[in-house]
Amino acid sequence: MATQARPARARPLWLAGALLLLAACMIAGLLDGAADISPWQVVLQVVDWLPLVHVDSGLAPVEQGLLFELRLPRVLMAAVVGGLLAMAGAGYQGVFRNPLADPYLLGAAAGAGLAATAAIVLLPSASVPVAAFAGAVGGVLLAYTLGNTAGRSGGTATLVLAGVAVTSFLTAIQTVLQQLEVEKLQRIYAWILGDLGGGWDQVLLVLPYAAVSAVLLLLHGRMLDVLSVGDEEAAGLGVRAGRVRFVVLLAASLATAAAVAVSGLIGFVGIVVPHVVRRLAGGSYRIVLPLSLIGGAAFLVLADLVARTVLAPAELPIGVVTMFVGAPFFVAVLRMTRRVVT
């Protein structure tokens, strides 16, 4: 009971702290670049961009254009993608009751990878983000359909197995396509390792899907808390477990597909951030979901900052940075989970 009560009392404080962390990370992201701009000027310029507010940042038009056209869309892209992946991961973990579940569990990554590879290899004029989005949605639908063929008795375990089977199958097809056009492997791997430099077009492309999926997931936080006590108890409280799982999986898969479409395959965000949130603020999904959204945004903005600076002037793929953080973290979570089980 104490675990559930703690986030209810501290929720405004945790949310305020997370928002301040996100703001600090975004300001740091806007500061990074070849042009030397002071933090105070960046803050003033950000305030000047707000509606009905006008302040003089002291920046030249060229510097303002640099911030608005290059740095700001990249920072916003990192924030949106990170928030979507972390919130989707929290949703998947709530449905499957497993802290090791991630947004790619049901084949979204494999479907997106196959579709993006097909677009690059077979249809050079096709839009890779659109293909990746369709592939991610298709992969999840295929896994969900396959899982449901086992009948209701299969439950979430059957869905996981279906996701593994679909992922293996789609990855095999992707490998075959890669071998057809070896000279295009560099472009394929560049997409797979993640890229947040799509500009305003990509930001505006992902925002509607981000808004819909985020609202759906946030509205189901209380129901995920009810599901955590068991399906029978949830039914006694008037919650239809199957319907809740379907809506949450749909919203989380939509969030994952949208994120993958504009950024490529960025791993571990959906495992690391929700787990940290639960350790700090408690296990109630009424606080886990919004904090995962904000914390995931801050995490990926910071990871992108590392990717841009650690090998400057060269740039490290964002997916490599999250792997360096996520892989040992995943091992630590696995050990803690095993200790709890035994």
Side-chain angles (χ1 to χ4, degrees):
M1 297 297 294
T3 303
Q4 296 295 329
R6 181 178 57 174
R9 293 195 304 266
R11 183 173 182 176
L13 182 62
W14 280 113
L15 289 175
L19 288 172
L20 286 175
L21 175 63
L22 175 58
C25 291
M26 293 183 73
I27 293 296
L30 290 173
L31 285 172
D32 180 64
D36 188 16
I37 303 175
S38 73
W40 181 242
Q41 287 178 309
V42 170
V43 172
L44 289 178
Q45 187 58 55
V46 170
V47 172
D48 186 55
W49 286 332
L50 297 176
L52 305 178
V53 178
H54 177 69
V55 295
D56 184 11
S57 65
L59 293 176
V62 174
E63 294 172 323
Q64 293 181 22
L66 177 68
L67 277 178
F68 187 77
E69 296 296 337
L70 296 180
R71 299 186 189 179
L72 182 60
R74 177 154 185 162
V75 168
L76 289 177
M77 178 70 78
V80 172
V81 170
L84 287 177
L85 290 176
M87 179 178 264
Y92 270 82
Q93 290 160 19
V95 167
F96 293 103
R97 301 178 195 172
N98 190 330
L100 301 180
D102 82 335
Y104 302 144
L105 185 64
L106 295 186
L114 172 58
T117 300
I120 294 171
V121 173
L122 303 177
L123 301 169
S125 61
S127 170
V128 174
V130 172
F133 179 82
V137 173
V140 172
L141 289 177
L142 181 59
Y144 193 84
T145 302
L146 181 62
N148 280 340
T149 59
R152 292 174 179 254
S153 60
T156 56
T158 304
L159 280 178
V160 172
L161 293 176
V164 172
V166 168
T167 296
S168 300
F169 179 70
L170 297 182
T171 302
I173 299 176
Q174 179 185 356
T175 303
V176 172
L177 288 179
Q178 289 174 352
Q179 300 309 308
L180 296 178
E181 296 285 348
V182 178
E183 64 275 9
K184 295 181 180 179
L185 282 178
Q186 184 175 1
R187 184 182 173 192
I188 294 171
Y189 283 125
W191 182 86
I192 289 175
L193 291 174
D195 181 20
L196 297 171
W200 282 112
D201 290 342
Q202 303 285 28
V203 174
L204 296 176
L205 177 66
V206 75
L207 280 180
Y209 304 100
V212 171
S213 56
V215 169
L216 283 175
L217 287 170
L218 289 173
L219 289 176
H220 283 77
R222 185 187 66 83
M223 296 182 186
L224 284 176
D225 285 341
V226 175
L227 286 187
S228 66
V229 301
D231 288 4
E232 293 183 3
E233 290 81 358
L237 295 172
V239 175
R240 298 170 61 182
R243 182 177 180 180
V244 171
R245 287 197 183 94
F246 176 77
V247 174
V248 171
L249 286 177
L250 178 66
S253 299
L254 178 63
T256 304
V260 167
V262 296
S263 68
L265 304 181
I266 301 174
F268 292 106
V269 179
I271 293 179
V272 172
V273 176
H275 188 77
V276 170
V277 167
R278 275 193 295 269
R279 298 285 290 183
L280 294 176
S284 171
Y285 282 92
R286 284 173 290 179
I287 190 65
V288 169
L289 287 170
L291 280 184
S292 293
L293 175 65
I294 301 170
F299 173 78
L300 202 60
V301 170
L302 189 59
D304 184 53
L305 180 61
V306 173
R308 285 185 282 158
T309 56
V310 69
L311 294 179
E315 185 175 315
L316 197 64
I318 181 66
V320 174
V321 177
T322 59
M323 288 178 193
F324 271 117
V325 175
F329 190 92
F330 183 86
V331 173
V333 173
L334 186 61
R335 289 176 63 87
M336 284 186 287
T337 305
R338 180 182 176 185
R339 212 162 28 234
V340 170
V341 172
T342 54

